[in-house]
Amino acid sequence: MTEPVVSAFQVLSVRRRRLRPFVDFGPVFLFFGISGVDHGREARLQRRFEQEYYPHVVTARLAGVGAGRYRLDGLPEDANRRPWIVGADGVVRGELSEEGLGAFRVWLGGNGGKVRAVALDG
């Protein structure tokens, strides 16, 4: 881990992710007698669960932070459950649950917007 960087957190947008309909074709194939092993099913179901549980996408800007995955100390625990991803242009993207978004909005109202970005290895 590297030394944390103290930075000002400036929120650009908060939007709710629009999900595509999820169709599981396994029962349809079984009805018609087509059987087999669906090797990627568990990964698809896990990805869908994460998209449904963390539907809010927060886009912000951090100064002095390079591209990578970070934990932002100073944010509420619910808003810091998943890593924040910083792009090459310094724009930060995070995914929040309903509870995380509520805690994040309370934090925005009562804080100066200072966070410590701690790089995550791997």
Side-chain angles (χ1 to χ4, degrees), residues 39-113:
H39 295 287
R41 184 171 191 271
E42 284 193 35
R44 284 194 311 273
L45 290 175
Q46 179 65 31
R47 195 168 41 247
R48 180 61 180 204
F49 169 76
E50 289 175 358
Q51 289 175 344
E52 288 179 358
Y53 190 76
Y54 298 102
H56 302 285
V57 178
V58 176
T59 306
R61 188 171 301 281
L62 280 178
V65 178
R69 294 166 30 122
Y70 291 88
R71 182 183 78 239
L72 301 179
D73 290 344
L75 285 180
E77 183 180 337
D78 286 339
N80 228 356
R81 292 193 190 274
R82 295 179 55 94
W84 291 78
I85 299 169
V86 180
D89 55 355
V91 173
V92 181
R93 185 172 166 262
E95 299 171 343
L96 301 178
S97 63
E98 294 290 336
E99 299 86 12
L101 182 64
F104 181 72
R105 287 191 168 148
V106 168
W107 176 82
L108 278 177
N111 193 309

Coordinates of all heavy atoms in Angstrom, one line a residue, residues 39-113:
H39 N -21.8 -23.1 -17.7 CA -20.6 -22.9 -17.0 C -20.5 -21.4 -16.4 O -19.9 -21.2 -15.4 CB -19.3 -23.1 -17.8 CG -19.2 -24.6 -18.1 ND1 -18.8 -25.6 -17.2 CD2 -19.4 -25.3 -19.3 CE1 -18.8 -26.7 -17.8 NE2 -19.2 -26.6 -19.1
G40 N -21.1 -20.5 -17.1 CA -21.0 -19.1 -16.7 C -22.2 -18.6 -15.9 O -22.3 -17.4 -15.6
R41 N -23.1 -19.5 -15.5 CA -24.4 -19.0 -14.9 C -24.2 -18.4 -13.5 O -24.7 -17.3 -13.3 CB -25.3 -20.2 -14.7 CG -26.7 -19.8 -14.2 CD -27.7 -21.0 -14.2 NE -29.0 -20.6 -13.9 CZ -29.5 -20.5 -12.7 NH1 -28.8 -20.8 -11.7 NH2 -30.8 -20.1 -12.6
E42 N -23.3 -19.0 -12.7 CA -23.1 -18.4 -11.4 C -22.5 -17.0 -11.5 O -22.8 -16.1 -10.7 CB -22.3 -19.3 -10.5 CG -23.1 -20.5 -10.0 CD -22.3 -21.3 -8.9 OE1 -21.6 -20.6 -8.1 OE2 -22.5 -22.5 -8.9
A43 N -21.5 -16.8 -12.4 CA -20.9 -15.5 -12.5 C -21.9 -14.5 -13.0 O -21.9 -13.4 -12.5 CB -19.7 -15.6 -13.5
R44 N -22.8 -14.9 -13.9 CA -23.8 -14.0 -14.4 C -24.8 -13.6 -13.3 O -25.2 -12.4 -13.1 CB -24.6 -14.6 -15.6 CG -23.8 -14.5 -16.9 CD -24.8 -14.8 -18.1 NE -25.6 -16.0 -17.9 CZ -25.3 -17.3 -18.2 NH1 -24.1 -17.5 -18.7 NH2 -26.1 -18.2 -18.0
L45 N -25.2 -14.6 -12.5 CA -26.1 -14.3 -11.4 C -25.4 -13.4 -10.3 O -26.1 -12.5 -9.8 CB -26.6 -15.6 -10.7 CG -27.6 -16.4 -11.6 CD1 -27.9 -17.8 -10.9 CD2 -28.8 -15.7 -11.9
Q46 N -24.2 -13.6 -10.0 CA -23.5 -12.8 -9.1 C -23.3 -11.4 -9.6 O -23.6 -10.4 -8.8 CB -22.1 -13.4 -8.8 CG -21.2 -12.5 -7.8 CD -21.8 -12.5 -6.4 OE1 -22.5 -13.4 -6.0 NE2 -21.6 -11.4 -5.7
R47 N -23.0 -11.2 -10.9 CA -22.9 -9.9 -11.5 C -24.3 -9.2 -11.4 O -24.4 -8.0 -11.1 CB -22.4 -10.0 -12.9 CG -21.9 -8.7 -13.5 CD -21.1 -8.9 -14.8 NE -21.7 -9.9 -15.7 CZ -21.1 -11.1 -16.0 NH1 -19.9 -11.4 -15.5 NH2 -21.6 -11.9 -16.8
R48 N -25.3 -9.9 -11.7 CA -26.7 -9.3 -11.7 C -27.1 -8.9 -10.3 O -27.6 -7.8 -10.0 CB -27.7 -10.3 -12.2 CG -29.1 -9.8 -12.2 CD -29.3 -8.6 -13.1 NE -30.7 -8.1 -13.1 CZ -31.2 -7.4 -14.0 NH1 -30.5 -7.1 -15.1 NH2 -32.4 -7.0 -14.0
F49 N -26.7 -9.7 -9.3 CA -27.0 -9.4 -7.9 C -26.3 -8.1 -7.5 O -26.9 -7.2 -6.9 CB -26.6 -10.5 -6.9 CG -26.6 -10.1 -5.5 CD1 -27.8 -10.0 -4.8 CD2 -25.4 -9.8 -4.9 CE1 -27.8 -9.6 -3.5 CE2 -25.4 -9.4 -3.5 CZ -26.6 -9.3 -2.8
E50 N -25.0 -8.0 -7.9 CA -24.2 -6.8 -7.5 C -24.8 -5.5 -8.2 O -24.9 -4.5 -7.6 CB -22.8 -6.9 -7.9 CG -22.1 -7.9 -7.0 CD -20.6 -8.2 -7.5 OE1 -20.2 -7.7 -8.5 OE2 -20.0 -9.0 -6.8
Q51 N -25.3 -5.7 -9.5 CA -25.9 -4.5 -10.2 C -27.2 -4.1 -9.5 O -27.6 -3.0 -9.5 CB -26.2 -4.9 -11.6 CG -24.9 -5.0 -12.4 CD -25.2 -5.5 -13.8 OE1 -26.2 -6.0 -14.2 NE2 -24.2 -5.3 -14.7
E52 N -28.0 -5.1 -9.0 CA -29.2 -4.8 -8.3 C -29.0 -4.2 -6.9 O -29.7 -3.4 -6.5 CB -30.1 -6.0 -8.3 CG -30.7 -6.4 -9.6 CD -31.6 -7.6 -9.5 OE1 -31.7 -8.2 -8.4 OE2 -32.1 -8.0 -10.6
Y53 N -28.0 -4.7 -6.2 CA -27.8 -4.3 -4.8 C -27.1 -3.0 -4.8 O -27.2 -2.2 -3.8 CB -27.0 -5.4 -4.0 CG -26.9 -5.1 -2.6 CD1 -28.0 -5.3 -1.8 CD2 -25.8 -4.5 -2.0 CE1 -28.0 -5.0 -0.4 CE2 -25.8 -4.2 -0.6 CZ -26.9 -4.5 0.2 OH -26.8 -4.2 1.5
Y54 N -26.2 -2.7 -5.7 CA -25.5 -1.4 -5.8 C -26.0 -0.6 -7.1 O -25.2 -0.5 -8.0 CB -24.0 -1.6 -5.9 CG -23.4 -2.3 -4.7 CD1 -23.1 -3.7 -4.7 CD2 -23.2 -1.6 -3.5 CE1 -22.6 -4.3 -3.6 CE2 -22.7 -2.3 -2.4 CZ -22.4 -3.6 -2.5 OH -21.9 -4.2 -1.4
P55 N -27.2 -0.1 -7.1 CA -27.7 0.5 -8.3 C -27.3 2.0 -8.5 O -27.5 2.5 -9.6 CB -29.3 0.4 -8.1 CG -29.4 0.6 -6.6 CD -28.2 -0.2 -6.0
H56 N -26.7 2.6 -7.5 CA -26.4 4.0 -7.7 C -25.0 4.2 -8.1 O -24.1 3.7 -7.4 CB -26.7 4.8 -6.3 CG -28.1 4.6 -5.9 ND1 -29.1 5.3 -6.5 CD2 -28.7 3.9 -5.0 CE1 -30.3 5.0 -5.9 NE2 -30.0 4.1 -5.0
V57 N -24.7 5.0 -9.1 CA -23.4 5.2 -9.6 C -23.1 6.7 -9.3 O -23.8 7.6 -9.7 CB -23.3 5.0 -11.1 CG1 -21.9 5.3 -11.6 CG2 -23.6 3.5 -11.4
V58 N -22.0 6.9 -8.5 CA -21.6 8.2 -8.1 C -20.3 8.6 -8.9 O -19.4 7.8 -9.0 CB -21.3 8.3 -6.6 CG1 -20.7 9.7 -6.2 CG2 -22.5 8.0 -5.8
T59 N -20.3 9.7 -9.5 CA -19.2 10.2 -10.3 C -18.7 11.5 -9.6 O -19.5 12.4 -9.3 CB -19.6 10.5 -11.7 OG1 -20.2 9.4 -12.3 CG2 -18.3 10.9 -12.6
A60 N -17.4 11.5 -9.3 CA -16.8 12.7 -8.6 C -15.4 13.0 -9.2 O -15.0 12.3 -10.0 CB -16.8 12.4 -7.1
R61 N -14.8 14.0 -8.6 CA -13.5 14.3 -9.0 C -12.6 14.4 -7.8 O -13.0 15.0 -6.7 CB -13.5 15.7 -9.7 CG -12.1 16.0 -10.4 CD -12.2 17.2 -11.3 NE -13.1 17.1 -12.4 CZ -12.9 16.4 -13.5 NH1 -11.8 15.8 -13.7 NH2 -13.8 16.3 -14.5
L62 N -11.4 13.9 -7.8 CA -10.4 14.0 -6.8 C -9.1 14.6 -7.4 O -8.7 14.2 -8.4 CB -10.1 12.6 -6.2 CG -11.0 11.9 -5.3 CD1 -10.5 10.5 -4.9 CD2 -11.2 12.8 -4.0
A63 N -8.6 15.5 -6.6 CA -7.3 16.1 -7.1 C -6.1 15.4 -6.5 O -6.1 14.9 -5.4 CB -7.3 17.6 -6.6
G64 N -5.1 15.2 -7.4 CA -3.8 14.7 -6.9 C -3.8 13.2 -6.7 O -3.0 12.6 -6.0
V65 N -4.8 12.5 -7.4 CA -4.9 11.0 -7.2 C -4.7 10.4 -8.6 O -5.4 10.8 -9.5 CB -6.2 10.6 -6.6 CG1 -6.3 9.1 -6.5 CG2 -6.4 11.2 -5.2
G66 N -3.8 9.4 -8.7 CA -3.6 8.7 -10.0 C -4.6 7.7 -10.2 O -5.4 7.3 -9.4
A67 N -4.6 7.1 -11.4 CA -5.6 6.1 -11.8 C -5.4 4.8 -11.0 O -4.2 4.5 -10.6 CB -5.4 5.7 -13.3
G68 N -6.5 4.1 -10.6 CA -6.4 2.9 -9.9 C -7.6 2.7 -9.0 O -8.6 3.4 -9.1
R69 N -7.5 1.7 -8.1 CA -8.6 1.4 -7.2 C -8.3 2.0 -5.8 O -7.2 1.7 -5.3 CB -8.9 -0.1 -7.1 CG -9.3 -0.7 -8.4 CD -9.2 -2.2 -8.5 NE -9.4 -2.8 -7.2 CZ -10.3 -3.7 -6.9 NH1 -11.1 -4.1 -7.7 NH2 -10.3 -4.2 -5.7
Y70 N -9.2 2.6 -5.1 CA -8.9 3.3 -3.9 C -10.0 3.0 -2.9 O -11.2 2.8 -3.2 CB -8.8 4.8 -4.1 CG -7.6 5.2 -4.8 CD1 -7.6 5.3 -6.2 CD2 -6.4 5.5 -4.2 CE1 -6.5 5.7 -6.9 CE2 -5.3 5.9 -4.9 CZ -5.4 6.0 -6.2 OH -4.2 6.3 -6.9
R71 N -9.7 3.1 -1.6 CA -10.6 3.2 -0.5 C -10.5 4.6 0.0 O -9.4 5.2 0.2 CB -10.2 2.2 0.7 CG -11.2 2.3 1.8 CD -10.7 1.4 3.0 NE -9.6 2.1 3.7 CZ -8.4 1.7 3.9 NH1 -8.0 0.5 3.4 NH2 -7.5 2.3 4.6
L72 N -11.6 5.3 0.2 CA -11.7 6.7 0.5 C -12.0 6.8 2.0 O -13.1 6.7 2.4 CB -12.7 7.5 -0.3 CG -12.4 7.4 -1.8 CD1 -13.5 8.2 -2.6 CD2 -11.0 7.9 -2.2
D73 N -10.9 7.0 2.8 CA -11.1 7.2 4.3 C -11.7 8.6 4.5 O -11.3 9.5 3.9 CB -9.8 7.1 5.0 CG -9.3 5.7 5.0 OD1 -10.0 4.7 4.8 OD2 -8.1 5.5 5.3
G74 N -12.7 8.6 5.4 CA -13.4 9.8 5.6 C -14.9 9.7 5.2 O -15.8 10.4 5.7
L75 N -15.1 8.8 4.3 CA -16.5 8.5 3.8 C -17.2 7.5 4.8 O -16.5 6.8 5.5 CB -16.5 7.8 2.5 CG -16.3 8.7 1.3 CD1 -16.3 7.8 0.0 CD2 -17.2 9.8 1.1
P76 N -18.5 7.5 4.9 CA -19.1 6.6 5.8 C -18.8 5.1 5.4 O -18.5 4.9 4.2 CB -20.6 6.9 5.6 CG -20.7 8.2 4.9 CD -19.4 8.4 4.3
E77 N -18.9 4.2 6.3 CA -18.6 2.8 6.0 C -19.5 2.2 4.9 O -19.0 1.5 4.0 CB -18.7 1.9 7.3 CG -18.3 0.5 7.1 CD -18.5 -0.3 8.3 OE1 -18.5 0.3 9.4 OE2 -18.6 -1.5 8.2
D78 N -20.8 2.6 4.9 CA -21.7 2.0 3.9 C -21.3 2.5 2.5 O -21.6 1.9 1.5 CB -23.1 2.4 4.2 CG -23.7 1.6 5.3 OD1 -23.2 0.5 5.6 OD2 -24.7 2.1 6.0
A79 N -20.7 3.7 2.4 CA -20.3 4.3 1.1 C -19.0 3.8 0.7 O -18.5 4.1 -0.4 CB -20.4 5.8 1.2
N80 N -18.3 3.0 1.5 CA -17.0 2.6 1.2 C -16.8 1.1 1.1 O -15.8 0.5 1.2 CB -16.0 3.1 2.3 CG -14.8 3.8 1.7 OD1 -14.6 3.8 0.5 ND2 -14.0 4.3 2.6
R81 N -18.0 0.4 0.9 CA -18.0 -1.1 0.8 C -17.3 -1.6 -0.4 O -16.7 -2.7 -0.4 CB -19.4 -1.6 1.0 CG -20.0 -1.4 2.3 CD -21.2 -2.2 2.5 NE -21.9 -1.8 3.7 CZ -21.7 -2.3 4.9 NH1 -20.7 -3.2 5.0 NH2 -22.3 -1.9 6.0
R82 N -17.4 -0.9 -1.5 CA -16.8 -1.3 -2.8 C -15.7 -0.3 -3.1 O -15.8 0.8 -2.7 CB -17.8 -1.3 -3.9 CG -18.9 -2.4 -3.6 CD -20.0 -2.5 -4.7 NE -19.5 -2.6 -6.0 CZ -19.4 -3.8 -6.6 NH1 -19.7 -4.9 -6.0 NH2 -19.0 -3.9 -7.9
P83 N -14.7 -0.7 -3.8 CA -13.6 0.2 -4.1 C -14.1 1.3 -5.1 O -15.0 1.1 -5.9 CB -12.6 -0.7 -4.8 CG -13.3 -1.9 -5.3 CD -14.5 -2.1 -4.4
W84 N -13.5 2.4 -4.9 CA -13.7 3.6 -5.8 C -12.7 3.5 -6.9 O -11.5 3.3 -6.6 CB -13.6 4.9 -5.0 CG -14.7 5.0 -4.1 CD1 -14.9 4.5 -2.9 CD2 -15.9 5.8 -4.3 NE1 -16.0 4.8 -2.3 CE2 -16.7 5.7 -3.1 CE3 -16.3 6.7 -5.3 CZ2 -17.9 6.3 -2.9 CZ3 -17.6 7.3 -5.1 CH2 -18.3 7.1 -4.0
I85 N -13.1 3.6 -8.2 CA -12.2 3.5 -9.3 C -11.9 4.9 -9.9 O -12.8 5.6 -10.3 CB -12.8 2.5 -10.3 CG1 -12.9 1.2 -9.6 CG2 -11.9 2.4 -11.6 CD1 -13.7 0.2 -10.3
V86 N -10.6 5.2 -10.0 CA -10.2 6.5 -10.5 C -9.6 6.3 -11.9 O -8.8 5.4 -12.1 CB -9.1 7.2 -9.6 CG1 -8.7 8.5 -10.2 CG2 -9.6 7.3 -8.2
G87 N -10.2 7.0 -12.9 CA -9.7 6.9 -14.2 C -8.5 7.8 -14.5 O -8.0 8.5 -13.6
A88 N -7.9 7.8 -15.6 CA -6.7 8.5 -16.0 C -7.0 10.0 -15.9 O -6.0 10.8 -15.7 CB -6.2 8.1 -17.4
D89 N -8.2 10.5 -16.1 CA -8.5 11.9 -16.1 C -8.9 12.4 -14.7 O -9.2 13.6 -14.5 CB -9.7 12.2 -17.0 CG -10.9 11.3 -16.7 OD1 -10.8 10.4 -15.8 OD2 -11.9 11.5 -17.4
G90 N -8.8 11.6 -13.6 CA -9.0 12.0 -12.3 C -10.5 11.9 -11.9 O -10.8 12.3 -10.8
V91 N -11.3 11.3 -12.7 CA -12.7 11.2 -12.4 C -12.9 9.8 -11.6 O -12.4 8.8 -12.0 CB -13.6 11.2 -13.7 CG1 -15.0 10.8 -13.3 CG2 -13.5 12.5 -14.3
V92 N -13.6 9.9 -10.5 CA -13.8 8.8 -9.6 C -15.2 8.2 -9.9 O -16.1 9.0 -10.0 CB -13.7 9.2 -8.1 CG1 -13.8 8.0 -7.2 CG2 -12.3 9.9 -7.9
R93 N -15.3 6.9 -9.9 CA -16.6 6.3 -10.0 C -16.8 5.2 -8.9 O -15.9 4.4 -8.7 CB -16.7 5.6 -11.4 CG -18.0 5.0 -11.7 CD -18.0 4.5 -13.2 NE -19.2 3.7 -13.3 CZ -19.2 2.3 -13.3 NH1 -18.1 1.7 -13.1 NH2 -20.3 1.7 -13.4
G94 N -17.9 5.3 -8.3 CA -18.2 4.4 -7.2 C -19.6 3.9 -7.3 O -20.5 4.6 -7.8
E95 N -19.9 2.7 -6.8 CA -21.2 2.1 -6.8 C -21.7 2.0 -5.4 O -21.0 1.5 -4.6 CB -21.2 0.7 -7.5 CG -20.7 0.8 -9.0 CD -20.5 -0.6 -9.6 OE1 -20.3 -1.5 -8.8 OE2 -20.4 -0.6 -10.8
L96 N -22.9 2.5 -5.2 CA -23.5 2.5 -3.8 C -24.8 1.8 -3.7 O -25.6 1.8 -4.7 CB -23.7 4.0 -3.3 CG -22.4 4.9 -3.3 CD1 -22.8 6.2 -2.9 CD2 -21.4 4.3 -2.4
S97 N -25.1 1.2 -2.6 CA -26.4 0.6 -2.3 C -27.3 1.7 -1.8 O -26.9 2.9 -1.7 CB -26.2 -0.4 -1.2 OG -25.8 0.1 0.0
E98 N -28.6 1.4 -1.5 CA -29.5 2.4 -1.0 C -29.0 3.0 0.3 O -29.0 4.2 0.5 CB -30.9 1.7 -0.8 CG -31.6 1.3 -2.1 CD -32.0 2.4 -3.0 OE1 -32.2 3.6 -2.5 OE2 -32.1 2.2 -4.2
E99 N -28.5 2.1 1.2 CA -28.0 2.5 2.5 C -26.8 3.4 2.3 O -26.6 4.4 3.0 CB -27.7 1.4 3.4 CG -28.9 0.5 3.8 CD -29.2 -0.6 2.7 OE1 -28.3 -0.8 1.8 OE2 -30.2 -1.2 2.8
G100 N -25.9 3.0 1.4 CA -24.7 3.7 1.2 C -25.0 5.1 0.6 O -24.3 6.1 1.0
L101 N -26.0 5.2 -0.3 CA -26.3 6.5 -0.8 C -26.9 7.4 0.2 O -26.5 8.6 0.3 CB -27.3 6.3 -2.0 CG -27.7 7.6 -2.7 CD1 -26.4 8.3 -3.4 CD2 -28.8 7.4 -3.7
G102 N -27.7 6.9 1.1 CA -28.3 7.7 2.2 C -27.2 8.2 3.1 O -27.1 9.4 3.4
A103 N -26.2 7.3 3.5 CA -25.1 7.8 4.4 C -24.2 8.7 3.6 O -23.7 9.7 4.2 CB -24.3 6.5 4.8
F104 N -24.0 8.5 2.4 CA -23.2 9.4 1.6 C -23.8 10.8 1.5 O -23.1 11.8 1.6 CB -23.0 8.8 0.2 CG -22.2 9.6 -0.8 CD1 -20.8 9.7 -0.6 CD2 -22.7 10.3 -1.8 CE1 -20.0 10.5 -1.4 CE2 -22.0 11.1 -2.7 CZ -20.6 11.1 -2.5
R105 N -25.1 10.9 1.3 CA -25.8 12.2 1.2 C -25.7 13.0 2.5 O -25.5 14.2 2.6 CB -27.2 12.1 0.7 CG -27.2 11.8 -0.8 CD -28.6 11.8 -1.3 NE -28.6 11.8 -2.8 CZ -29.5 11.3 -3.5 NH1 -30.6 10.7 -3.0 NH2 -29.3 11.3 -4.8
V106 N -25.9 12.2 3.6 CA -25.7 12.8 5.0 C -24.3 13.3 5.2 O -24.1 14.4 5.7 CB -26.1 11.8 6.1 CG1 -25.7 12.3 7.4 CG2 -27.6 11.5 6.0
W107 N -23.3 12.6 4.7 CA -21.9 13.0 4.9 C -21.6 14.2 4.0 O -20.9 15.1 4.5 CB -21.0 11.8 4.4 CG -19.6 12.1 4.4 CD1 -18.7 12.1 5.4 CD2 -18.8 12.6 3.2 NE1 -17.5 12.5 5.0 CE2 -17.5 12.8 3.7 CE3 -19.1 12.8 1.9 CZ2 -16.5 13.2 2.9 CZ3 -18.1 13.2 1.1 CH2 -16.8 13.4 1.5
L108 N -22.2 14.3 2.8 CA -22.0 15.5 2.0 C -22.6 16.7 2.6 O -22.0 17.8 2.5 CB -22.7 15.3 0.6 CG -22.0 14.5 -0.4 CD1 -22.8 14.3 -1.7 CD2 -20.6 15.1 -0.8
G109 N -23.7 16.6 3.3 CA -24.3 17.8 3.9 C -23.5 18.3 5.1 O -23.6 19.5 5.4
G110 N -22.8 17.4 5.8 CA -22.1 17.9 7.1 C -20.6 17.8 7.0 O -20.0 18.0 8.0
N111 N -20.0 17.7 5.9 CA -18.6 17.5 5.8 C -18.0 18.5 4.7 O -18.7 18.9 3.8 CB -18.2 16.1 5.4 CG -16.8 15.8 5.6 OD1 -15.9 16.5 5.1 ND2 -16.5 14.7 6.3
G112 N -16.8 18.8 4.9 CA -16.1 19.7 3.9 C -15.7 19.1 2.7 O -15.2 19.7 1.8
G113 N -15.9 17.8 2.5 CA -15.5 17.1 1.3 C -14.1 16.6 1.3 O -13.6 16.2 0.2

